Amino acid sequence: MSFSGSVYKTLQKISGKSNVTRKKEELLCYSYDATGNSFLPEVIIFPGSENEVSQILNLASKQNFIVVPRGAGSGMTGGAVPVNGGLVMVTSRMNKILEINENNFIAKVQPGVIVADLHKKVEEKNLFYPPDPASSSICTIGGNIAECAGGPRAVKYGVTRDYVLGLKAVLPSGKIIQTGVKTAKGVAGYDLTRLIVGSEGTLAIVTEITLKLLAKPAAIKTLAVFFDSMQKAARTVSGIMRETVIPRCVEYLDKASIDLVKDYISFDLPDNIKALLIIELDGYKTQVEKDALDIQKLCFSYNALEVLIAEDKTQSQELWNARKALSPALYKIANNKINEDIVVPVDKIPDMVQITKEIQKTYGLKVVSFGHAGDGNIHCNIMYNKADESEVKKANKAVDKLFQATLDLGGTITGEHGVGITKMKYLPKEIGATQIELMRGIKKVFDPLNILNPGKIFIS
Amino acid sequence: MSFSGSVYKTLQKISGKSNVTRKKEELLCYSYDATGNSFLPEVIIFPGSENEVSQILNLASKQNFIVVPRGAGSGMTGGAVPVNGGLVMVTSRMNKILEINENNFIAKVQPGVIVADLHKKVEEKNLFYPPDPASSSICTIGGNIAECAGGPRAVKYGVTRDYVLGLKAVLPSGKIIQTGVKTAKGVAGYDLTRLIVGSEGTLAIVTEITLKLLAKPAAIKTLAVFFDSMQKAARTVSGIMRETVIPRCVEYLDKASIDLVKDYISFDLPDNIKALLIIELDGYKTQVEKDALDIQKLCFSYNALEVLIAEDKTQSQELWNARKALSPALYKIANNKINEDIVVPVDKIPDMVQITKEIQKTYGLKVVSFGHAGDGNIHCNIMYNKADESEVKKANKAVDKLFQATLDLGGTITGEHGVGITKMKYLPKEIGATQIELMRGIKKVFDPLNILNPGKIFIS
C-alpha cells in the first residue's frame, strides 16, 4: 500500500481537492454497509466522470493500491466494505440520468443514480423500470448492478440482470470498455455485460448503464391476505403461482414481522393472524380488477382468514410502507441480525417454513422471516446479541443449518444480496471447486493484480 | 491431430461402435450448416450421456484433438462447422425432456431436444417456453443455447438467455460443472450460465439445461397488415412499439419476400402491396380482442392499405407458414445468399430500409429483407451467384456497407445468429480490442489447449 504524499496529490489533481479525503471522521462514514461490518479505508474519492475513474484505476494499477467501488453502502453482504483498506471510490457524483428514450424503450444512466429517482423519471414518461429493492429510495443503480438486485416485482419482471442491455466500464488497468448493445437484441461475442452484472465490483467499475424499459402498466391492485398459519400462507403462494395470473409481487410476512410493523397498517387485523401476504397485480384496468377477485377467491379456498383489496393508492402505499419498514425495524427484537436471502423452489416454501421453526426451537433464537415468496426468495433474519458469545455461536450454527437445508431443497444461498464477505465461506457448499476455479480465472483476466475490491466472493 | 487406431477404438469403447464413424459419406453429412460452408470432420461421435461427453473431452485434452459440438446444424454463421477438422460431437442421442415441473415453472432438458418438441410438451401442460427461432421444427435447444437464439416472440418475451436458469456442462478438460440455479433467482458468484449461453460452443459442451417456463397465454390474435411502402410499414412498427400494448410478435416482409411466399397465403393481397407486417398479440381473451382492434386502428392511422385480423388458428397458421418458408425460398432468387441478422434501434428502422434500398442500387444485387421488426432485428439477405466472381466481390462490399451503416445507427451486427465464422472479421468493428482481449482471456481459462470449437468468433 502506498498512499504517499505524491499519490494522494495525484488523486487530488484527478478529481479536485474537495473530492478526495483521508480525514478519520469521513473515512468512518465509508467504512461500513448494511451488514454492520466496518473496515476503515485509507482514502475516499468521489470521481466526477468516467475519465477520472479511468485515471484513478490506472494510477492504482501502477502504484498497486486497492480500489473498492461504493454506491450508497446499502448492501447486505459487505460488498462495498474495504476489508483490506485502500481507496474507496464513491459514485455519488456520477448521478446523471443521461437519456430516457421513449421511442426505443431505453435509458442511459450513470452508476450513482438513486433507483427511486430513476423510477420517478421514467414513470413521468409513462415508462417502467421494474427492479425495486426495498432500499430503492437510497440505493444506487451501480450498486444494483454490482449485486444484481431484485425486489418484490421480480416475481413477474425478473431482476436487474434482465434489464441491463449494455455497460460502459473501467477495467482495473484503467482501460475503458463498452459491452452489450443499445438495442433489444445482441449476441456479438461472449456476454461480458451479464458477467459484470452481479460480479460485486470485482471485475470492473461501471460508469454508464444502458437499461431496457417497459411501458408503465395502466393499473395496479394490491391485496392484503391474512392467515392463521404460516403453512396455509405458504401453500397459498404455491397455489397462486400455478395460476396463469402472475402477480407482480407476492410478499409474505410471518407473525414476528407483522408484530414489528403493524403500527403502519390502519386496517383491522384479525386476532389470530399468523401470516400476511401482500399480493400486487398490474396490467389493464378491467383485467386487473377481475384478477383481484379471482385471487381473492383462490385465497379463501386456501383458508385465508380475510382478503382485503386495497381501495386506493393510499391503502396500497400503507401496506408497502409496512413492508419496507421491516428491515430496520428488526433491531427492536435484538441488537444484531444475520439476514439471509435464501431461495427455494416455490413448492418447497412450506418445507422451508417448517425448517425455520425447527431452527428457532433448536437454537433458542428468534427467526423473523419475510420476503419475496412468489419466487421462493425468503429473507430469514436470525436475531441475536453480538455481545453474548454463546448467542453468536448459536447464530452461526443456525445459519449453517439454514443454508444446508436450502441447498438440500434445491435452492441457493443468495437470491439477490450477493456473496460479499458474509457468504464467502458458504459459496463452496453451493458451487463446486471447478466453477470457483473458473471464476478465479476470470477474475485474473480482468484484474491480474487483484487491486479491485479484493477479499470478496472467494476465500483467499 | 491424432485419430490413430487406438484413439478411434477408445472412442468406440466410450460411446459404442455404432455411435462413432469416419465413413466419408457420413462425414460429409456433418460437414456443413445453414450457411452452406462445408469443412470435413475426421470423426463423428454421437454420445449418449454426460458421462460419455466427459470421457470424450478428457481424451481430447490428453490426445490434443479438436472437438466441435453440433446440434441440428441449422446455424446461420458456421458455428457448428469443423473449420479445422477434428471430431464432431452430435447431440442427437441426448434428446430427453427430463422434467417439466408445473409447480415451479421449470423444465430440465438434454441439449439434443428439438425446440418444437419442447414447445409441444410444455404447452400440453398449459405452460409456455417463448423462444421460437424460425427453424424450431428442426433445431435443438443446445444449439439455441450456443447461439442465444431469438425468434419472433422475442419482442415481448426476450431471447434464450432470458430462460436459462442453470446448466450442466463439460469443460474441455472433461470436468463437469453445474452453473446457475433451479430457482427463480440466484446470484452466487459470477454468472457462468449466461457466459456459456451465446458462447457458440467454444467454452463448454452443455449436457443439461434448466429452463424457466411461463404460463401459457390464454388467447392469441394474429393480424396481417398491408402497406404500399416499406417506409410506412417501418414507421408503423415504431408507432406500435411506443404503445403500452407490446405485441408478442411484429414481423415484417418486404415486397421481394412477399412475392416469394405469396402462394402460402389465401387472403387477397392488394395489388400495390409493398410491405406486410405480421403482428401477434397474446394474453386474456377479451383484452387481446380489444388490443387487436386498437392496433388495427393505429395501423390505419399510419396509412395501412388493409388490416386483416385472422379469424381462426388456420388463418393465423397460414401467415406463419408463409413467414417460416421465407428463408429456404430465397434460393429461388439466386444460388447464394448472405443472411445478416442486424439489429438497429426500433426508431431507426425507416433509415435502415432506406439504406438497404441504396445498397441494392449501388451494387446491383437483390436484397431481400424480412424479420423481427418489433425489436429492430432485420434479416437482410444479399442474393448473389457464387460462381460469378464479380458478384461475390459486390456481395462482400454490400455486407461491409450494411454493417457499417448498422453500427453507425447504434446497432449490432448480430441479434441472434452469433458470430461463428461468417462475422469474425466484422466483430472488431463492433467491439473494441480490449473486450476481445478479455474474451480471449476467458476462452483460455475454459479451454487452455484451444481444443473446443477453435477458429470461431475471434480471428486467430
Side-chain angles (χ1 to χ4, degrees):
Chain A
M1 248 313 311
S2 50
F3 289 101
S4 65
S6 81
V7 168
Y8 192 76
K9 268 187 195 144
T10 311
L11 290 169
Q12 286 181 319
K13 209 182 263 174
I14 293 170
S15 288
K17 273 192 181 173
S18 60
N19 296 312
V20 190
T21 180
R22 49 183 168 186
K23 284 189 197 140
K24 185 73 188 286
E25 62 273 27
E26 296 192 275
L27 296 181
L28 265 170
C29 294
Y30 294 92
S31 66
Y32 66 91
D33 74 351
T35 58
N37 284 289
S38 171
F39 294 86
L40 218 56
E42 291 153 272
V43 177
I44 316 283
I45 196 161
F46 302 86
S49 70
E50 178 177 273
N51 184 274
E52 290 177 25
V53 174
S54 166
Q55 287 182 61
I56 296 160
L57 282 167
N58 185 262
L59 184 70
S61 65
K62 281 185 182 137
Q63 299 289 335
N64 202 29
F65 62 77
I66 287 169
V67 177
V68 179
R70 181 185 176 92
S74 57
M76 291 288 198
T77 54
V81 166
V83 284
N84 298 306
L87 173 135
V88 164
M89 186 189 282
V90 185
T91 59
S92 53
R93 289 178 65 220
M94 294 176 70
N95 63 349
K96 280 171 215 57
I97 296 176
L98 302 167
E99 186 188 347
I100 296 176
N101 186 319
E102 297 158 84
N103 291 335
N104 297 318
F105 282 61
I106 62 165
K108 252 187 226 171
V109 301
Q110 290 187 318
V113 168
I114 302 295
V115 176
D117 290 346
L118 177 66
H119 283 152
K120 193 166 164 279
K121 289 285 181 212
V122 301
E123 285 170 30
E124 280 169 13
K125 294 185 183 245
N126 222 20
L127 295 168
F128 183 43
Y129 175 69
D132 62 335
S135 55
S136 60
S137 61
I138 53 161
C139 67
T140 65
I141 188 77
N144 279 206
I145 279 166
E147 305 298 329
C148 189
R153 292 180 200 150
V155 184
K156 181 170 177 177
Y157 290 107
V159 295
T160 302
R161 167 202 305 136
D162 302 309
Y163 294 87
V164 183
L165 294 175
L167 295 170
K168 285 189 80 180
V170 183
L171 299 180
S173 63
K175 283 187 187 168
I176 297 168
I177 60 168
Q178 177 147 16
T179 74
V181 287
K182 290 174 278 305
T183 49
K185 280 178 178 170
V187 290
Y190 298 155
D191 191 347
L192 299 184
T193 307
R194 282 156 202 94
L195 186 60
I196 293 173
V197 174
S199 67
E200 310 196 27
T202 65
L203 298 181
I205 295 184
V206 169
T207 49
E208 192 181 299
I209 305 125
T210 304
L211 294 168
K212 178 172 103 173
L213 303 175
L214 303 179
K216 192 176 150 192
I220 296 165
K221 270 277 170 210
T222 316
L223 290 81
V225 192
F226 308 114
F227 294 89
D228 63 5
S229 102
M230 269 306 299
Q231 286 297 351
K232 283 181 192 164
R235 279 193 290 265
T236 307
V237 169
S238 59
I240 291 169
M241 297 311 291
R242 273 198 300 271
E243 297 299 303
T244 50
V245 185
I246 303 282
R248 76 169 184 176
C249 311
V250 184
E251 295 289 297
Y252 96 115
L253 286 77
D254 69 359
K255 177 68 166 59
S257 306
I258 299 165
D259 286 344
L260 280 172
V261 295
K262 63 182 168 194
D263 295 347
Y264 285 83
I265 301 171
S266 64
F267 310 134
D268 283 330
L269 298 178
D271 288 339
N272 48 344
I273 182 171
K274 288 276 171 54
L276 163 62
L277 295 181
I278 303 174
I279 300 170
E280 197 161 85
L281 302 159
D282 67 2
Y284 299 103
K285 196 163 177 297
T286 48
Q287 193 60 50
V288 162
E289 280 164 6
K290 188 187 164 298
D291 288 347
L293 296 175
D294 287 350
I295 294 231
Q296 185 178 45
K297 215 167 127 186
L298 186 121
C299 290
F300 279 127
S301 80
Y302 278 90
N303 298 313
L305 292 172
E306 190 55 74
V307 183
L308 294 176
I309 301 177
E311 274 161 31
D312 51 28
K313 219 179 160 176
T314 318
Q315 272 200 337
S316 137
Q317 201 52 53
E318 219 176 74
L319 285 164
W320 286 112
N321 289 343
R323 168 64 185 85
K324 293 206 171 180
L326 253 176
S327 207
L330 287 167
Y331 293 111
K332 290 186 200 167
I333 295 179
N335 293 337
N336 302 92
K337 63 171 178 179
I338 303 178
N339 169 359
E340 300 305 354
D341 68 319
I342 54 166
V343 191
V344 294
V346 176
D347 65 353
K348 296 285 187 277
I349 297 178
D351 304 69
M352 204 61 217
V353 166
Q354 190 52 38
I355 288 158
T356 319
K357 267 190 193 165
E358 283 161 21
I359 288 174
Q360 182 154 306
K361 210 170 147 191
T362 309
Y363 300 101
L365 294 172
K366 188 106 185 167
V367 182
V368 186
S369 297
F370 57 88
H372 318 309
D375 42 29
N377 189 189
I378 302 171
H379 296 308
C380 276
N381 295 271
I382 297 164
M383 307 307 301
Y384 68 108
N385 178 1
K386 215 179 190 170
D388 181 338
E389 213 171 286
S390 83
E391 281 209 358
V392 175
K393 267 188 195 161
K394 280 193 265 179
N396 284 327
K397 276 188 185 166
V399 173
D400 289 350
K401 185 101 183 174
L402 182 73
F403 282 161
Q404 196 52 58
T406 303
L407 296 173
D408 291 346
L409 290 173
T412 173
I413 61 169
T414 177
E416 51 185 22
H417 293 172
V419 176
I421 50 173
T422 63
K423 292 184 182 176
M424 268 191 332
K425 74 167 180 162
Y426 300 103
L427 189 67
K429 284 186 203 289
E430 178 164 342
I431 62 178
T434 309
Q435 286 98 290
I436 291 187
E437 211 178 289
L438 288 175
M439 291 180 193
R440 283 182 189 277
I442 292 168
K443 166 73 174 166
K444 221 170 240 171
V445 169
F446 280 77
D447 185 17
L449 303 170
N450 198 28
I451 55 167
L452 189 58
N453 207 6
K456 306 294 167 71
I457 308 178
F458 315 109
I459 296 166
S460 38
Chain B
M1 247 314 309
S2 50
F3 288 103
S4 65
S6 81
V7 168
Y8 192 75
K9 268 188 196 145
T10 310
L11 290 170
Q12 286 180 318
K13 208 182 267 175
I14 293 170
S15 289
K17 273 193 180 173
S18 60
N19 296 311
V20 189
T21 180
R22 48 186 170 185
K23 284 189 197 138
K24 185 74 189 286
E25 62 273 28
E26 296 191 275
L27 296 181
L28 265 169
C29 294
Y30 295 92
S31 67
Y32 66 92
D33 74 353
T35 59
N37 284 289
S38 170
F39 295 86
L40 218 57
E42 290 152 273
V43 177
I44 316 284
I45 195 161
F46 304 84
S49 71
E50 177 177 274
N51 184 275
E52 289 177 25
V53 174
S54 166
Q55 287 183 62
I56 297 160
L57 282 166
N58 185 262
L59 184 70
S61 65
K62 282 184 182 139
Q63 299 289 337
N64 202 30
F65 61 78
I66 288 169
V67 176
V68 179
R70 179 183 177 94
S74 56
M76 293 287 198
T77 55
V81 166
V83 283
N84 298 305
L87 174 134
V88 163
M89 186 189 285
V90 185
T91 60
S92 52
R93 288 179 64 221
M94 294 176 70
N95 64 348
K96 280 169 215 60
I97 296 177
L98 303 168
E99 185 189 346
I100 297 176
N101 187 319
E102 297 159 84
N103 291 336
N104 297 318
F105 282 63
I106 63 167
K108 252 187 227 170
V109 301
Q110 290 188 319
V113 168
I114 301 296
V115 176
D117 290 344
L118 178 66
H119 283 151
K120 193 166 163 280
K121 289 286 180 211
V122 302
E123 285 170 31
E124 279 169 12
K125 293 183 183 249
N126 221 21
L127 295 167
F128 183 44
Y129 175 70
D132 63 334
S135 54
S136 60
S137 62
I138 53 159
C139 68
T140 65
I141 188 76
N144 280 206
I145 279 166
E147 304 299 328
C148 190
R153 295 181 199 148
V155 184
K156 181 171 177 177
Y157 290 107
V159 295
T160 302
R161 166 201 306 135
D162 302 308
Y163 294 87
V164 184
L165 295 175
L167 295 170
K168 285 189 82 181
V170 183
L171 299 180
S173 63
K175 283 187 188 169
I176 297 168
I177 60 168
Q178 176 147 17
T179 74
V181 287
K182 291 173 279 303
T183 50
K185 281 178 178 171
V187 290
Y190 300 154
D191 191 347
L192 299 185
T193 308
R194 283 156 201 93
L195 186 61
I196 293 173
V197 173
S199 66
E200 310 195 28
T202 65
L203 298 181
I205 296 185
V206 169
T207 48
E208 191 182 300
I209 305 126
T210 304
L211 294 168
K212 179 172 102 174
L213 303 174
L214 303 179
K216 191 178 152 191
I220 296 166
K221 270 276 171 210
T222 315
L223 290 82
V225 192
F226 308 114
F227 294 89
D228 63 6
S229 100
M230 267 307 298
Q231 285 296 350
K232 283 182 193 166
R235 278 194 292 266
T236 307
V237 170
S238 60
I240 290 170
M241 297 310 292
R242 273 198 301 271
E243 297 300 303
T244 50
V245 185
I246 303 281
R248 75 170 186 175
C249 312
V250 184
E251 294 289 297
Y252 96 117
L253 285 77
D254 69 359
K255 176 70 165 60
S257 307
I258 299 165
D259 287 344
L260 280 173
V261 296
K262 63 183 169 194
D263 294 347
Y264 286 82
I265 301 172
S266 63
F267 310 134
D268 284 331
L269 298 178
D271 289 339
N272 47 346
I273 184 170
K274 289 276 171 54
L276 163 63
L277 294 182
I278 303 174
I279 301 171
E280 195 161 86
L281 302 159
D282 67 2
Y284 299 103
K285 195 165 178 295
T286 49
Q287 194 60 51
V288 162
E289 280 165 4
K290 188 185 166 296
D291 288 347
L293 295 174
D294 287 350
I295 294 230
Q296 185 178 46
K297 215 168 128 186
L298 187 121
C299 289
F300 279 127
S301 80
Y302 279 89
N303 299 314
L305 291 172
E306 190 55 72
V307 184
L308 293 176
I309 302 177
E311 274 162 33
D312 52 27
K313 220 177 157 180
T314 318
Q315 271 200 337
S316 138
Q317 200 52 53
E318 217 177 74
L319 284 164
W320 286 112
N321 288 343
R323 167 64 185 85
K324 293 204 171 182
L326 253 175
S327 207
L330 287 166
Y331 293 111
K332 291 186 199 165
I333 295 179
N335 293 337
N336 302 91
K337 63 171 178 176
I338 302 179
N339 169 0
E340 300 306 354
D341 67 319
I342 55 166
V343 190
V344 295
V346 176
D347 65 354
K348 296 285 187 281
I349 297 177
D351 305 68
M352 204 62 217
V353 166
Q354 190 52 38
I355 289 159
T356 318
K357 267 190 194 165
E358 284 161 20
I359 288 175
Q360 181 154 308
K361 210 171 147 191
T362 310
Y363 300 101
L365 295 172
K366 187 107 184 165
V367 181
V368 186
S369 297
F370 56 88
H372 320 307
D375 44 28
N377 189 189
I378 303 170
H379 296 308
C380 277
N381 295 273
I382 298 164
M383 307 307 300
Y384 68 107
N385 178 2
K386 217 177 186 171
D388 180 337
E389 213 172 290
S390 84
E391 280 210 0
V392 175
K393 267 190 197 161
K394 279 195 265 179
N396 284 327
K397 276 189 185 163
V399 173
D400 288 351
K401 186 103 182 172
L402 182 72
F403 281 161
Q404 194 53 56
T406 302
L407 295 174
D408 291 346
L409 290 173
T412 173
I413 61 168
T414 176
E416 52 184 23
H417 293 171
V419 176
I421 51 173
T422 62
K423 293 185 181 177
M424 269 194 325
K425 74 168 182 164
Y426 300 102
L427 189 68
K429 285 188 202 285
E430 176 164 342
I431 62 178
T434 309
Q435 285 99 290
I436 290 186
E437 212 178 290
L438 288 175
M439 291 178 194
R440 283 182 189 276
I442 291 168
K443 166 74 173 167
K444 223 172 238 172
V445 169
F446 280 76
D447 185 17
L449 302 171
N450 198 29
I451 55 167
L452 188 57
N453 207 6
K456 307 294 165 73
I457 306 177
F458 315 110
I459 296 165
S460 37

